């Protein structure tokens, strides 16, 4: 096995996903299959190859520092599941 | 006589200019068609008929005032991952089931400026993760040629809508084949432009280094008309490339005689399906008769593209989808115990099985101790694949290959076998890895009467050449003129 149930639990926590025990079992098996398929990549010598993050050469576009209208508080809150005044409402974070 | 919904955008635009019809008449014809067949196919997540008629009325006023642009008044559907201000944009996910974007994506802004009539948002695989449009929270879209079959994905709603006459043209997005695959499976034309040619601003992100918006239509002429609208630099997308784009319609009638087409053996070695083989052979024959010559090529790292893609795309997805936390927008679980638990439950209940699988895979590939073996390795292989293509294009003007290894498959057939599902994209993924433009056009039919597409690939920003080759092919063939009977 390339991936254990404990690892699946750890990764699920990192990914902030509350998985059922059934899902954990299913994903362990499926991720194991997928990772085995990916073993083929080890065949390719890549020591001298530069990694590529994307197809476009990135540059930093500069613009004038001009004040422009931005999203209103009302618009920003319109899709929120819970709102308090002009803020997003969340469960208590700091005890 | 054809009904209005059956015409191409190019033909309808001519009819609008000569006042043979109006945008309202065209729009009503398409809306009636939606009423008639939508229940069977489920191409849409949301249709906005009243708004569409209003846009059509406005388009007619513009046309009457002589203020029309080439596609003013033509009805389009957008994929449900393109933000349209005030209109529900769900990405076919429960987690965004009630999301109304507070702004327009750049492509929607461009469509509005053109005076195009937006009919609604087309169904898709949840977060564009899938090859069959079966992972949609709203249920699968069906293939108009046989409703037991999948339409391909992830832009399955966009492709099926064009095939069925539920839209004249549509926009899709393509991360690993999501425009080209459904276009091929539904018997229509679809192009993924070069990465950076079309702004991704307001496109809900799946894998940002691979995602690209592009057109789906009935023929190369309509593809060119849409490219003329959507290609262009956008300061709001830092990966949008500043450059000038040609008028793609100028390439429609250019002869292809003397062009060299590459046939990479790694694409053809794997072909087992007799119908796909026959269609590819026929396509070569047609190009040969047009004076095109062929060159055998090798793309030595092609066989690794799929494995590398299924590390890179889920890695980017796991990062991109971290924003769905049940706080700023979207679904929030009802019962939870504290902040972290709220995240975990909202995401567990809001995302479907495939999205969770890819978040898990990507999180694993990026996690401490595995990054070098998976993500970094895949990013290096991406370089090798890109170099392979660069070398290939020193020897040829374009590459011809299949779009998919088989004709469309049955609904449910591959849902429990992720690797089999992922293999559907084996011929389209390498193109995204290198950021190249690729186009799928109808190449023929299987013995069961299901559409099979051929794929053309060109070097970066050579979309015009794909339009030219597709248009030449469509002048010699009638596959693109066939319509499913519904």
């Amino acid at each position: 096995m390339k991936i254990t149930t404990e690892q699946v639990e750890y990764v699920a926590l990192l990914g902030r996903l509350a998985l059922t025990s059934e899902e954990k079992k299913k994903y362990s098996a499926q991720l194991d299959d997928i990772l085995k398929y990916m073993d083929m990549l080890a065949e390719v010598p890549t020591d001298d190859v530069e990694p590529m993050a994307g197809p476009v050469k990135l540059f930093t576009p500069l613009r004038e520092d001009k004040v422009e209208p931005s999203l209103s508080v009302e618009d920003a809150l319109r899709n929120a599941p819970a709102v308090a005044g002009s803020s997003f409402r969340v469960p208590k974070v700091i005890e | 006589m054809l009904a209005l919904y059956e015409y191409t955008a190019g033909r309808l635009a001519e009819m609008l200019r000569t006042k043979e019809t109006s945008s309202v008449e065209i729009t009503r014809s398409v809306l009636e068609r939606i009423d008639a067949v939508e229940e069977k196919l489920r191409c849409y997540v949301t249709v906005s008929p009243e708004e569409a008629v209003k846009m059509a009325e406005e388009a007619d006023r513009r046309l009457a005032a002589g203020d029309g642009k080439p596609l003013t008044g033509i009805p389009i559907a957008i994929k449900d991952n393109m933000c349209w201000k005030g209109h529900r944009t769900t990405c076919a996910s429960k987690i965004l089931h009630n999301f109304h974007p507070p702004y327009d994506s750049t492509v929607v802004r461009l469509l509005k400026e053109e005076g195009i009539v937006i009919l609604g948002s087309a169904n898709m695989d949840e977060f564009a993760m899938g090859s069959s449009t079966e992972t949609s929270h709203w249920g699968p879209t069906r293939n108009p040629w046989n409703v037991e079959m999948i339409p391909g994905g992830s832009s399955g709603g966009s492709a099926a809508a064009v095939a069925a006459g539920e839209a004249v043209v549509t926009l899709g997005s393509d991360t690993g084949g999501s425009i080209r695959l459904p276009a091929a499976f539904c018997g229509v034309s679809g192009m993924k432009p070069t990465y950076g040619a079309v702004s991704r601003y307001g496109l809900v992100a799946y894998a940002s280094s691979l995602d690209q918006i592009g057109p789906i239509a009935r023929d190369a002429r309509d593809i060119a008309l849409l490219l003329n609208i959507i290609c262009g630099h956008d300061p709001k997308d830092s990966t949008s490339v500043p450059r000038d784009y040609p008028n793609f319609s100028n390439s429609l009638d250019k002869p292809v005689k003397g062009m060299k087409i590459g046939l990479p053996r790694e694409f053809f070695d794997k072909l087992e399906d007799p119908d796909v083989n026959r269609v590819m052979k026929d396509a070569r024959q047609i190009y040969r008769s047009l004076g095109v010559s062929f060159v055998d090529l090798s793309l030595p790292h092609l066989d690794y593209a799929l494995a590398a893609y299924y590390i890179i795309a889920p890695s980017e997805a796991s990062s991109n989808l971290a924003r769905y936390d049940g706080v700023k927008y979207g679904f929030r679980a009802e019962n939870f115990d504290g902040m972290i638990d709220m995240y975990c439950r909202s995401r567990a209940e809001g995302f479907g099985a495939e999205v969770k699988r890819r978040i898990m895979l990507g999180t694993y590939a990026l996690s401490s101790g595995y990054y070098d073996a998976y993500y970094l390795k895949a990013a290096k292989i991406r370089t090798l694949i890109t170099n392979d293509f660069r070398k290939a294009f020193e020897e040829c003007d374009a590459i011809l290959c299949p779009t998919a290894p088989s004709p469309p498959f049955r609904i449910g057939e591959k849902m429990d076998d992720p690797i089999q599902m992922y293999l559907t994209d084996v011929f389209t993924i390498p193109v995204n890895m290198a950021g190249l433009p690729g186009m799928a056009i109808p190449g023929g039919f299987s013995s069961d009467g299901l559409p099979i597409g051929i794929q053309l690939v060109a070097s970066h920003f050579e979309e015009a050449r794909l339009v030219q080759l597709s248009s030449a092919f469509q002048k010699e063939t009638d596959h693109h003129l066939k319509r499913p009977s519904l």
Side-chain angles (χ1 to χ4, degrees):
Chain A
M1 290 292 275
K2 300 204 60 106
I3 188 161
T4 61
T5 314
E6 290 73 43
Q7 278 176 304
V8 165
E9 282 172 357
Y10 173 64
V11 171
L13 178 66
L14 288 179
R16 298 288 184 259
L17 291 168
L19 300 184
T20 63
S21 52
E22 218 167 275
E23 281 177 314
K24 283 177 201 164
K25 229 163 67 193
K26 191 176 80 178
Y27 287 139
S28 303
Q30 288 179 339
L31 292 182
D32 196 59
D33 280 350
I34 295 169
L35 293 171
K36 274 184 193 143
Y37 179 81
M38 279 152 187
D39 275 347
M40 69 160 80
L41 296 182
E43 299 167 6
V44 187
T46 52
D47 284 352
D48 303 324
V49 180
E50 281 294 312
M52 170 177 158
V56 167
K57 217 181 194 155
L58 290 176
F59 63 102
T60 307
L62 297 174
R63 61 167 171 80
E64 216 186 313
D65 188 13
K66 214 168 59 189
V67 178
E68 282 181 45
S70 56
L71 207 59
S72 69
V73 172
E74 195 189 28
D75 278 346
L77 291 176
R78 189 162 289 146
N79 284 289
V83 170
S86 60
S87 307
F88 298 111
R89 185 193 285 274
V90 294
K92 195 168 178 183
V93 181
I94 302 157
E95 292 304 326
Chain B
M1 205 185 114
L2 294 178
L4 286 170
Y5 70 80
E6 294 174 278
Y7 286 103
T8 61
R11 178 72 192 108
L12 290 169
E14 283 168 9
M15 290 163 72
L16 285 171
R17 246 165 277 140
T18 54
K19 310 226 181 324
E20 280 170 74
T21 186
S22 70
S23 175
V24 169
E25 277 175 8
I26 297 167
T27 302
R28 285 198 198 285
S29 169
V30 176
L31 288 170
E32 277 166 27
R33 178 66 174 170
I34 292 173
D35 276 344
V37 299
E38 174 62 6
E39 209 176 25
K40 229 190 230 179
L41 300 177
R42 317 206 39 152
C43 297
Y44 283 88
V45 171
T46 313
V47 187
S48 330
E50 284 153 33
E51 176 110 17
V53 171
K54 262 189 225 155
M55 290 174 106
E57 286 166 352
E58 175 58 28
D60 282 333
R61 277 193 288 275
R62 267 180 78 167
L63 289 163
D67 183 27
K69 292 190 170 188
L71 288 189
T72 302
I74 303 298
I76 198 171
I78 56 173
K79 189 175 180 178
D80 197 29
N81 60 355
M82 298 167 191
C83 287
W84 181 11
K85 188 176 178 174
H87 290 75
R88 189 171 71 146
T89 303
T90 77
C91 237
S93 181
K94 181 178 173 184
I95 213 155
L96 282 176
H97 72 287
N98 57 357
F99 178 62
H100 290 70
Y103 68 97
D104 278 332
S105 52
T106 293
V107 285
V108 165
R109 175 176 62 77
L110 293 170
L111 296 179
K112 285 181 172 176
E113 285 170 9
E114 182 84 5
I116 289 186
V117 174
I118 307 176
L119 297 159
S121 301
N123 200 15
M124 56 186 280
D125 280 297
E126 184 181 2
F127 281 99
M129 297 179 192
S131 312
S132 64
T133 316
E134 288 170 287
T135 70
S136 168
H137 172 61
W138 312 105
T141 295
R142 289 167 183 275
N143 192 313
W145 293 87
N146 179 340
V147 294
E148 301 300 315
M149 302 291 171
I150 57 101
S154 68
S155 309
S158 298
V162 172
E166 290 195 59
V168 176
V169 286
T170 57
L171 291 183
S173 69
D174 190 316
T175 305
S178 283
I179 288 173
R180 289 158 290 154
L181 182 72
F185 279 4
C186 291
V188 295
S189 305
M191 185 193 284
K192 181 202 94 74
T194 308
Y195 183 85
V198 181
S199 170
R200 292 183 297 109
Y201 178 73
L203 173 73
V204 181
Y206 158 22
S208 305
S209 81
L210 298 153
D211 296 342
Q212 188 60 198
I213 292 173
I216 299 177
R218 293 191 184 125
D219 63 10
R221 185 187 181 198
D222 281 5
I223 294 285
L225 287 166
L226 281 167
L227 288 176
N228 287 340
I229 299 168
I230 61 174
C231 287
H233 178 241
D234 179 12
K236 287 179 170 163
D237 172 1
S238 63
T239 58
S240 161
V241 178
R243 71 194 318 278
D244 290 325
Y245 293 88
N247 181 335
F248 294 99
S249 304
N250 290 342
S251 297
L252 291 167
D253 298 320
K254 283 188 190 158
V256 297
K257 192 173 173 183
M259 276 175 100
K260 255 200 215 161
I261 288 185
L263 304 169
R265 72 178 68 102
E266 290 79 5
F267 275 111
F268 291 92
D269 285 353
K270 269 193 283 298
L271 262 189
E272 284 167 16
D273 188 277
D275 286 324
V276 178
N277 256 317
R278 169 178 47 81
V279 164
M280 293 312 301
K281 214 177 270 172
D282 290 350
R284 282 202 293 275
Q285 192 50 45
I286 283 161
Y287 279 120
R288 193 171 289 123
S289 74
L290 290 170
V292 166
S293 63
F294 292 97
V295 41
D296 284 316
L297 293 172
S298 174
L299 300 169
H301 299 93
L302 199 80
D303 291 342
Y304 303 100
L306 188 78
Y309 172 89
Y310 274 102
I311 292 168
I312 290 170
S315 294
E316 293 185 20
S318 73
S319 167
N320 272 328
L321 272 60
R323 73 192 65 179
Y324 303 101
D325 56 2
V327 173
K328 304 174 295 291
Y329 40 73
F331 174 81
R332 178 187 286 191
E334 275 182 25
N335 301 308
F336 49 81
D337 180 20
M339 191 75 173
I340 302 284
D341 195 46
M342 185 196 80
Y343 295 151
C344 292
R345 283 177 193 275
S346 298
R347 290 163 63 81
E349 293 171 33
F351 290 133
E354 181 60 28
V355 174
K356 283 191 245 187
R357 186 155 43 237
R358 293 198 198 187
I359 291 174
M360 293 286 293
L361 187 57
T363 306
Y364 177 80
L366 293 177
S367 66
S368 166
Y370 296 97
Y371 178 87
D372 284 4
Y374 289 105
Y375 182 79
L376 192 64
K377 184 81 184 179
K380 288 179 168 189
I381 286 169
R382 192 172 184 185
T383 302
L384 295 173
I385 294 164
T386 306
N387 290 344
D388 284 354
F389 275 112
R390 189 168 297 136
K391 276 185 211 132
F393 286 122
E394 286 168 9
E395 293 180 57
C396 65
D397 300 301
I399 282 171
L400 172 69
C401 58
T403 309
S406 73
F409 46 89
R410 287 193 173 275
I411 289 179
E413 192 177 317
K414 299 188 179 180
M415 277 304 269
D416 293 324
D417 192 343
I419 290 181
Q420 280 310 309
M421 186 70 95
Y422 297 169
L423 280 165
T424 312
D425 295 327
V426 69
F427 298 139
T428 48
I429 276 174
V431 178
N432 300 74
M433 293 291 270
L436 299 165
M439 183 160 178
I441 53 172
F445 291 84
S446 72
S447 46
D448 301 332
L450 293 166
I452 294 173
I454 62 168
Q455 181 178 211
L456 294 157
V457 182
S459 193
H460 293 106
F461 297 107
E462 295 287 350
E463 286 81 4
R465 187 164 293 164
L466 298 181
V467 168
Q468 180 183 357
L469 280 163
S470 304
S471 173
F473 187 84
Q474 292 182 339
K475 284 177 188 172
E476 299 299 313
T477 56
D478 62 356
H479 310 303
H480 64 293
L481 299 174
K482 302 227 166 83
R483 296 273 74 89
S485 55
L486 276 159

